[in-house]
Amino acid sequence: MSDVITPSSAWFWRHAFAYRGSATPHVLPRVLVFAGFAALVVLLHRTFPFLRVAASPVEVSGAALALFLVLRTNAGYERWWEGRKLWGGIVNQSRNLVIDALTYGPVERDWREQVVRWSAAFPHVVRRSLRGQRDLPEVRELLGQPAAQAIAGAQHMPSFVASTVAALLRRGRTESPEDGLDGFAFKNVDDQRALLVDEVGACERILKTPLAFAYAVTIRRFIVIYLALVPFGLVDSIGWATPFVTMFISYPILALDHIGTELQNPFAEKSLGHLPLEEICASLQANLLAMLDEEHR
């Protein structure tokens, strides 16, 4: 994350020539396909000189294509940013839940440790659930193998963890009437737990609702037609330079299309610019466990 915000000229050149983590390896094969097609157009033009079109229609259609790509990229970025805000909510609500539980809940050490550990496990479980993963090494470390197996076997893992936290809160309300959660504190802390479930549902909405298929098909057909026409508009004026100019034109177009597609799912590990969920979960776990450790000193 610091790489992105560091105001250093060194980062400009590093980003400008970066290969890994960029769209280049994903779109380069398609760029070469259009360059090869442009070379074929040049060869055919030498035999059939009438194979050409005026440059002005290509320029006008390029402006329309740029507008479509901007709209596509913006739609993808909105989903990425909404995902980041939702995970910010998961972080805040997890901290609030633990702070309220430790402040107003029973002094029983086992109860307090269970609340903190299950709350710290929740973001790990959400991350794994959004990625379709059932292996829970972080949960095994926090809660032990039996709990990790029970969570992995649940139909909806985040709901299982949230239900367990709710049961712990009810226990802190009913089994410790003298020093447990009073009605007001119980409502506040349970509201934080409920908000966590809401955030998970919103993340799942992003995950399971990609941009409309017809929209993607229309844009990509437009891209193919436009890039196929570009060589015909260039060949008469620049000859054998046409394949190289076609590559120069096709790379940003195909890269923007790919980035817009990748941003649709900000939770997948293999997506470009995916959210740093591992770092978020690890940092949150450290925060919550530190609260527990500090009160035991």
Side-chain angles (χ1 to χ4, degrees):
M1 296 294 289
S2 60
D3 293 1
V4 178
I5 61 175
T6 301
S8 170
S9 60
W11 288 116
F12 172 84
W13 296 111
R14 185 173 298 182
H15 292 160
F17 293 102
Y19 184 79
R20 295 185 61 184
S22 71
T24 301
H26 301 278
V27 304
L28 187 58
R30 280 168 268 171
V31 171
L32 294 176
V33 167
F34 285 107
F37 178 75
L40 178 62
V41 170
V42 175
L43 288 173
L44 291 174
H45 181 262
R46 295 172 68 88
T47 305
F48 307 102
F50 58 86
L51 290 177
R52 62 180 184 273
V53 298
S56 55
V58 178
E59 294 172 355
V60 172
S61 59
L65 177 59
L67 178 60
F68 276 118
L69 288 172
V70 168
L71 292 175
R72 169 74 172 274
T73 305
N74 285 346
Y77 181 77
E78 286 177 6
R79 295 164 63 87
W80 183 91
W81 182 238
E82 183 182 4
R84 183 61 187 91
K85 289 191 293 184
L86 291 170
W87 269 88
I90 289 174
V91 169
N92 293 339
Q93 279 125 35
S94 296
R95 288 172 178 160
N96 287 334
L97 189 155
V98 169
I99 289 171
D100 287 351
L102 295 180
T103 303
Y104 305 111
V107 296
E108 178 191 349
R109 180 163 183 173
D110 178 69
W111 181 87
R112 299 167 82 82
E113 184 163 346
Q114 287 296 310
V115 169
V116 172
R117 288 186 174 274
W118 278 90
S119 298
F122 184 81
H124 291 296
V125 171
V126 174
R127 169 171 56 88
R128 297 287 183 179
S129 178
L130 292 173
R131 292 175 174 174
Q133 301 168 345
R134 291 277 172 172
D135 186 30
L136 306 171
E138 305 88 359
V139 177
R140 286 196 296 271
E141 181 182 342
L142 283 166
L143 302 173
Q145 181 66 20
Q149 287 181 337
I151 295 169
Q155 196 276 334
H156 187 250
M157 297 192 296
S159 293
F160 184 93
V161 178
S163 297
T164 303
V165 173
L168 286 167
L169 296 178
R170 182 184 63 183
R171 175 180 148 196
R173 166 72 173 149
T174 60
E175 295 185 10
S176 302
E178 294 183 0
D179 63 350
L181 294 165
D182 61 27
F184 182 75
F186 176 80
K187 181 181 184 308
N188 282 344
V189 71
D190 195 59
D191 284 347
Q192 298 299 328
R193 180 203 56 79
L195 286 173
L196 285 172
V197 178
D198 291 343
E199 305 286 15
V200 174
C203 289
E204 291 173 344
R205 170 175 51 80
I206 295 174
L207 179 66
K208 297 178 180 179
T209 313
L211 294 178
F213 178 74
Y215 185 53
V217 168
T218 301
I219 290 179
R220 287 184 166 171
R221 283 180 180 170
F222 196 173
I223 289 173
V224 170
I225 293 171
Y226 174 76
L227 293 179
L229 287 176
V230 163
F232 293 99
L234 297 175
V235 65
D236 205 34
S237 57
I238 62 175
W240 280 109
T242 300
F244 301 101
V245 175
T246 300
M247 289 180 64
F248 182 77
I249 294 173
S250 63
Y251 173 76
I253 291 174
L254 295 172
L256 283 174
D257 172 70
H258 186 78
I259 291 170
T261 302
E262 294 279 307
L263 288 174
Q264 290 186 72
N265 183 3
F267 313 118
E269 291 178 281
K270 296 182 179 179
S271 293
L272 292 177
H274 63 270
L275 294 174
L277 299 186
E278 289 84 356
E279 292 85 349
I280 293 173
C281 292
S283 176
L284 179 56
Q285 174 183 324
N287 294 159
L288 300 184
L289 293 180
M291 293 181 198
L292 188 64
D293 292 340
E294 287 167 1
E295 73 165 16
H296 291 160
R297 289 176 185 173

